[in-house]
Amino acid sequence: MPEYLVIPSIVVGVIIVLGLAFWARYKTVSPDAAMIVTGSFLGSKNVMVDESGRKIKIVRGGGAFILPIFQRAEFLSLLSHKLDVSTPEVYTEQGVPVMADGVAIIKIGGSVEDVATAAEQYMGKPAEALKSEAQEVLEGHLRAILGSMTVEEVYRNRDKFAQEVQGVAAKDLKKMGLQIVSFTIKDVRDKQGYLDALGKPRIAAVKRDAEIAQAEAIRDARIQKARAEEEGQKAELLRDTNIAEANREKELKVASFKKDQDMAKAEADQAYHIQEARSKQSVVEEQMKVEIVRKEREIDLETKEILRREKQYDAEVKKKADADRYAVEQAAEADKARRLREADAMQYKIEAEAKANAEQKRLEGLAVADAERAKGTAEAEVIRLVGLAEAEAKEKLAQAFEKFGQAAVLDIVVKMLPELAGKIAEPIGAIDKLTVVDTGHGEGAARVSNYVTQLMATAPEMLKSVSGLDVEKLIQGLTGKISGGTGAAAAPIQAVPAVPATPAAPVKPVE
């Protein structure tokens, strides 16, 4: 090797050796572990010093160079551990033996102090030792807390029970460099059936509440169903009313459209006649123009003829031609004026007739519509009033029957008797002449008046045979109640009015 390459090679070799040595002694730490560095030259960062002056360096989430010979590095796991905590029978504050099962999640604390404490106590020990010691601490505190509470407190508020255990045990675990991530009570049980008996009243109350809630739900469902049916009926009535209103609006609109259509048709007919008259007028005017042109042409021809003849005839003949031309022009103007007057008169006549016909049709339509509307309103009002009168009469009759009972029935029957007497006496009033033969005792004329009285006496039997209503029993029953002094107000019974006098035929006594 050339001499000039020896020194550079040595330098490169030294650098490589130093690099390999640095790579071999530089230690990195994963997030789930902590590196404990002991020895000399630890520096001042992340270094814990105890009361006796001993130092350790704790590295987390990074790395550090470990000096060979002078320093040593060891790793401590920070992973969590699950502990199943259970107790034997423990007597509670009431003296009831119960057992509790729980689950705890523990780990080494994340602070430098916790890592230093855990390293001092568990460095080099297996993880089972850490779990065993922590489990014993938790079970001891679980038994202590369980003995200071009642069964009802433990049963009804497990979270409070778990928090108290966790709060007391956390202080001791802190001294071991550990912390409780989570603590939960899984089960609380006893062998005497105390918890089952404690839950039975609650179960019964829940069942009772469930049955009550079910009954109330059924009741509410029925109420809602009834309300829904009522709302449905109201909706149907509202729909029918809306349909009737819509039909009425439709009919009114149809009538309005028909009226507008008739008016438009009348206006169109009138416009047609007017346009026809104008067309005829235009034709007449055109004809007149043609006639005027023809006359003018004839006049031109005659003028030319006159000019031609002027050369042949003298001044007298020319004057005659001028006079004839003037006469023709005057006749043409008179004919034109006459035809224009006739066309204007015809147009005015057609327009007047069209307006009169349209106005007559409009007035007739309005009159028919007003009459139909007034007739419908009157009929509806009559029907409404008749229905209200009948309903009121029936309602009062029903109230009378409900209030007075047999007295109301008797009152109606008594009111019917005068009408029945009038009907019975009606045939006697129709007799034109009646002859009574007296046997000598003066009873002939009296029998005629007694005839109606005897017929009226049979009226109660007639009512009983026809309707089954016994008037005599009704009267006896009511008079018996009144005379018995029951204290109840009886219905007023009207006296039977006298039979209306029927105009009888003149009676001629025969001796």
Side-chain angles (χ1 to χ4, degrees):
M1 178 181 296
E3 293 181 359
Y4 64 90
L5 294 177
V6 174
I7 296 175
S9 299
I10 295 172
V11 172
V12 171
V14 170
I15 292 173
I16 293 173
V17 172
L18 291 175
L20 292 174
F22 184 82
W23 176 75
R25 301 300 298 178
Y26 189 81
K27 305 291 183 179
T28 57
V29 185
S30 61
D32 59 347
M35 183 172 62
I36 311 299
V37 181
T38 57
S40 303
F41 308 107
L42 297 177
S44 59
K45 186 177 181 181
N46 296 330
V47 175
M48 284 290 300
V49 181
D50 59 6
E51 296 176 355
S52 60
R54 290 175 299 181
K55 298 181 179 180
I56 58 173
K57 183 177 182 180
I58 300 172
V59 180
R60 287 199 57 198
F65 182 76
I66 307 301
L67 296 176
I69 302 172
F70 298 101
Q71 294 178 353
R72 178 182 176 182
E74 295 185 13
F75 292 90
L76 183 65
S77 175
L78 302 181
L79 294 175
S80 61
H81 303 279
K82 174 184 175 183
L83 302 178
D84 292 326
V85 182
S86 61
T87 63
E89 287 187 340
V90 177
Y91 287 91
T92 62
E93 185 180 3
Q94 298 169 323
V96 179
V98 295
M99 295 177 288
D101 297 330
V103 175
I105 305 297
I106 64 168
K107 63 182 291 296
I108 296 175
S111 64
V112 176
E113 293 81 1
D114 292 340
V115 173
T117 302
E120 181 180 353
Q121 297 185 26
Y122 300 107
M123 184 69 71
K125 288 184 179 181
E128 294 299 328
L130 183 149
K131 293 170 63 177
S132 176
E133 293 179 5
Q135 184 174 2
E136 290 181 0
V137 172
L138 285 172
E139 288 179 351
H141 288 294
L142 180 61
R143 287 192 295 271
I145 299 299
L146 192 60
S148 64
M149 297 178 66
T150 63
V151 179
E152 287 78 3
E153 290 176 349
V154 176
Y155 178 74
R156 294 174 182 174
N157 199 346
R158 295 188 180 185
D159 292 337
K160 179 181 178 182
F161 176 43
Q163 289 175 3
E164 290 186 4
V165 174
Q166 185 174 352
V168 174
K171 297 178 181 179
D172 291 341
L173 293 176
K174 179 73 173 177
K175 298 176 182 179
M176 300 164 60
L178 304 177
Q179 68 178 14
I180 301 176
V181 179
S182 173
F183 181 76
T184 306
I185 299 298
K186 290 197 304 182
D187 188 21
V188 178
R189 62 189 187 280
D190 70 311
K191 297 180 179 180
Q192 309 299 326
Y194 184 87
L195 292 174
D196 292 338
L198 189 65
K200 285 181 180 180
R202 179 59 182 167
I203 294 172
V206 170
K207 289 183 178 180
R208 180 199 61 201
D209 295 340
E211 292 176 356
I212 293 172
Q214 184 179 5
E216 290 178 350
I218 294 173
R219 180 200 62 193
D220 294 340
R222 291 179 178 175
I223 293 173
Q224 292 296 330
K225 182 179 179 182
R227 289 179 180 174
E229 291 178 354
E230 181 181 358
E231 293 294 332
Q233 292 178 359
K234 289 182 180 179
E236 289 179 357
L237 292 175
L238 182 60
R239 179 200 63 190
D240 295 338
T241 304
N242 292 333
I243 290 173
E245 290 290 336
N247 291 332
R248 186 176 67 83
E249 293 291 336
K250 177 183 176 183
E251 291 176 357
L252 291 176
K253 288 183 179 180
V254 169
S256 178
F257 291 157
K258 186 176 180 182
K259 181 183 74 174
D260 295 340
Q261 186 178 4
D262 293 339
M263 292 179 64
K265 184 178 179 182
E267 291 177 357
D269 293 339
Q270 182 181 2
Y272 172 74
H273 291 302
I274 293 172
Q275 188 64 32
E276 184 179 6
R278 288 178 180 175
S279 299
K280 289 181 180 180
Q281 182 180 1
S282 299
V283 171
V284 172
E285 289 179 355
E286 292 296 330
Q287 290 178 355
M288 291 176 66
K289 289 180 181 179
V290 172
E291 186 66 22
I292 291 171
V293 171
R294 187 178 64 80
K295 293 292 184 181
E296 288 177 353
R297 292 293 179 89
E298 290 179 356
I299 292 170
D300 291 340
L301 292 174
E302 289 177 358
T303 303
K304 290 180 181 180
E305 183 67 23
I306 291 168
L307 291 174
R308 186 181 64 79
R309 290 178 181 180
E310 282 182 353
K311 296 177 181 180
Q312 298 178 359
Y313 301 99
D314 53 9
E316 185 178 356
V317 175
K318 182 177 180 182
K319 289 180 180 180
K320 183 181 179 180
D322 291 334
D324 293 337
R325 182 183 65 184
Y326 179 77
V328 171
E329 288 177 354
Q330 290 298 321
E333 289 292 333
D335 186 64
K336 177 181 178 182
R338 181 180 61 80
R339 292 188 179 185
L340 286 173
R341 286 193 298 271
E342 290 178 353
D344 292 336
M346 179 64 71
Q347 178 181 357
Y348 179 79
K349 180 180 180 182
I350 292 171
E351 290 179 354
E353 290 177 353
K355 290 181 179 179
N357 291 332
E359 184 64 17
Q360 183 180 1
K361 289 183 179 178
R362 186 180 69 82
L363 293 176
E364 289 177 354
L366 290 175
V368 171
D370 292 339
E372 290 295 327
R373 181 167 58 253
K375 182 180 178 182
T377 304
E379 290 177 354
E381 184 65 19
V382 169
I383 292 172
R384 186 181 70 82
L385 291 176
V386 170
L388 289 175
E390 291 178 356
E392 186 176 0
K394 290 180 179 178
E395 183 179 1
K396 290 183 177 179
L397 183 61
Q399 291 176 359
F401 275 109
E402 182 180 1
K403 184 176 181 181
F404 301 110
Q406 294 182 355
V409 177
L410 182 58
D411 186 33
I412 295 172
V413 173
V414 168
K415 288 180 179 179
M416 290 171 57
L417 290 177
E419 185 178 357
L420 179 62
K423 295 294 184 180
I424 293 172
E426 194 172 333
I428 299 176
I431 298 174
D432 185 24
K433 184 178 180 181
L434 179 65
T435 302
V436 179
V437 179
D438 192 0
T439 59
H441 298 285
E443 296 178 356
R447 288 184 179 182
V448 176
S449 60
N450 291 335
Y451 172 72
V452 176
T453 306
Q454 291 176 0
L455 288 177
M456 283 300 301
T458 61
E461 292 297 327
M462 230 190 318
L463 285 173
K464 183 176 180 181
S465 61
V466 173
S467 61
L469 184 64
D470 195 344
V471 179
E472 295 180 358
K473 286 186 177 180
L474 286 176
I475 296 173
Q476 292 175 1
L478 289 175
T479 55
K481 287 182 180 179
I482 295 173
S483 62
T486 58
I493 303 175
Q494 297 180 358
V496 180
V499 178
T502 305
V507 180
K508 180 181 179 181
V510 180
E511 295 182 358

